[in-house]
Amino acid sequence: MIFVPLPFVVALLLAILLIRMLRQGDGALAEKRPFLLLIGFYILQSVVIGIRWGYDVIAIMPIQSLIATTIAALAWVCFKGLAVEEQPTLSRFWPHLLPTAAIAVLIALYPEPISLAIILIFLFYGGALLWLARHGPDVLVSSRLDGAVLSYRSLQITGFALIASAVTDVIISFDFTKTGGIHAGAIVALGNVIALLILGTAASVASSGSSMEATSEEPPPPPATEEDEAVAAALDTLMRARQLYRDPDLNLTRIARKMNLPARRVSTAVNRIHGMSVSQYVNDFRIRAACEQLVGTDHPITQVMFDSGFISKSNFNREFARMNGENPTQFRKRRVPRESGGAASNVIFMSP
């Protein structure tokens, strides 16, 4: 029987995922290209790991070290690109090639501290990602609001994963010291499977497929100021007058530009006045618009979803249930017969 290492299977699944994303046109969008490149490096790393641990080819280890270091830096580049208002480009992040260059120099001149260097690099970038996440979902100002919370969760998971990878490297080094590396192959194989789950999340970020509701407890925001109230009022007026929420590609950066304000200023005002993230604030407008259509028209639910600004059915249903306690189909069945002889305005909606 032909032996196929588990990392090869992981690489195949990731390759299928990458092809699907490319066919969806994700490669045409600048903000998504770093994520596509990240998945490409994960595919390459999975193949290299399979060769190293599946067939015991020790000579390939330097390549594995170089790819691992590049992945850590590229993960930071991906999420940092979502946290800046200007168009992200890979060229502006060239300093993050230096860790890979440093590992290449060590491979050529002094291989002894390579393992320690990789551990420190992973800890650094993992910590940097978690530090970036400290401001909540609105820190990812260039992420489409329909998937902002998922992007944020992916940011957190990736940060923890890099730190976990560093810990795994420590465990492998310890295993080599104590047992000569008897368990190292199993440890690496398990770590590669976990990496697949992380990459699946990162791919969802790149394709902006859906969102998930935040569940973590966050400290209450500071008291609102008069400036916060003015910004929030101006935003309410803008959302109602121009119906910005109907734009499926809307993000915090676009909102801030229309208001001629920094993205952080808008986010802070929404947090303090409404007690929610900008993505939740916009989704509340979208759900209220969907409720009006569900009661006042006979449009299919899918059309209502798109007209309201959603492009993900799972996210639409999740946000609808968050506001109304039921899915759109149940809402329409309960409301339409009762409202058919009256005005749709009798339906009570939650206000953001």
Side-chain angles (χ1 to χ4, degrees):
M1 179 180 294
I2 299 176
F3 170 67
V4 179
L6 178 59
F8 283 7
V9 178
V10 172
L12 177 61
L13 294 175
L14 289 174
I16 293 172
L17 179 60
L18 181 60
I19 292 171
R20 181 180 66 85
M21 294 171 64
L22 289 171
R23 293 184 64 181
Q24 290 175 344
D26 287 356
L29 301 176
E31 67 272 16
K32 298 181 180 182
R33 291 171 192 160
F35 286 99
L36 299 176
L37 186 59
L38 178 63
I39 294 177
F41 269 97
Y42 266 99
I43 294 171
L44 184 58
Q45 182 73 325
S46 294
V47 172
V48 171
I49 289 175
I51 294 173
R52 164 61 184 95
W53 297 100
Y55 301 110
D56 199 25
V57 180
I58 300 177
I60 206 170
M61 286 189 67
I63 297 177
Q64 181 181 335
S65 300
L66 291 173
I67 297 174
T69 308
T70 303
I71 283 173
L74 186 56
W76 164 259
V77 169
C78 288
F79 287 102
K80 184 61 176 177
L82 293 179
V84 295
E85 297 186 36
E86 64 271 16
Q87 186 72 18
T89 58
L90 291 178
S91 59
R92 69 187 300 268
F93 295 106
W94 68 264
H96 296 282
L97 295 175
L98 296 178
T100 302
I103 294 298
V105 171
L106 288 177
I107 290 173
L109 302 178
Y110 186 47
E112 195 68 26
I114 287 178
S115 294
L116 176 60
I118 292 176
I119 290 172
L120 293 177
I121 289 170
F122 269 67
L123 289 175
F124 172 79
Y125 280 110
L129 286 171
L130 295 180
W131 181 254
L132 179 65
R134 73 191 187 281
H135 291 304
D138 289 342
V139 71
L140 302 178
V141 296
S142 295
S143 175
R144 185 171 54 79
L145 291 176
D146 188 31
V149 179
L150 179 58
S151 301
Y152 175 68
R153 292 298 178 222
S154 299
L155 167 61
Q156 292 178 309
I157 291 171
T158 304
F160 282 118
L162 291 180
I163 294 175
S165 294
V167 173
T168 301
D169 285 345
V170 173
I171 295 174
I172 292 173
S173 298
F174 182 79
D175 181 61
F176 270 103
T177 301
K178 294 297 183 180
T179 69
I182 295 176
H183 307 99
I187 296 171
V188 172
L190 178 61
N192 198 245
V193 172
I194 295 174
L196 171 62
L197 300 178
I198 297 170
L199 274 182
T201 306
S204 298
V205 173
S207 59
S208 300
S210 60
S211 175
M212 64 176 64
E213 187 175 354
T215 57
S216 60
E217 293 291 333
E218 297 183 357
T225 64
E226 291 185 3
E227 184 182 1
D228 292 327
E229 294 176 356
V231 171
L235 179 58
D236 287 345
T237 301
L238 184 64
M239 294 295 290
R240 292 190 175 95
R242 301 181 60 176
Q243 297 185 337
L244 297 182
Y245 55 86
R246 295 187 185 275
D247 178 5
D249 294 320
L250 187 66
N251 57 35
L252 179 53
T253 295
R254 291 188 180 186
I255 294 175
R257 285 175 180 169
K258 291 181 182 299
M259 299 183 70
N260 293 318
L261 291 171
R264 188 64 185 165
R265 180 82 281 276
V266 177
S267 170
T268 299
V270 172
N271 295 161
R272 291 177 178 176
I273 298 298
H274 298 292
M276 63 181 69
S277 68
V278 175
S279 61
Q280 291 176 320
Y281 169 83
V282 172
N283 282 340
D284 281 1
F285 274 97
R286 290 169 170 169
I287 294 302
R288 293 204 328 274
C291 289
E292 292 174 359
Q293 288 199 56
L294 288 171
V295 173
T297 73
D298 59 355
H299 295 163
I301 291 178
T302 301
Q303 181 181 340
V304 170
M305 178 189 77
F306 288 127
D307 288 346
S308 302
F310 289 97
I311 61 174
S312 165
K313 185 176 181 180
S314 60
N315 186 38
F316 174 59
N317 288 334
R318 185 181 299 109
E319 290 296 306
F320 198 98
R322 176 176 66 85
M323 287 188 61
N324 298 291
E326 57 189 346
N327 63 42
T329 301
Q330 295 168 335
F331 179 90
R332 172 172 268 176
K333 285 181 178 179
R334 277 202 320 109
R335 301 278 180 160
V336 170
R338 217 181 306 170
E339 301 293 339
S340 57
S345 59
N346 290 333
V347 181
I348 298 176
F349 304 111
M350 181 183 296
S351 177

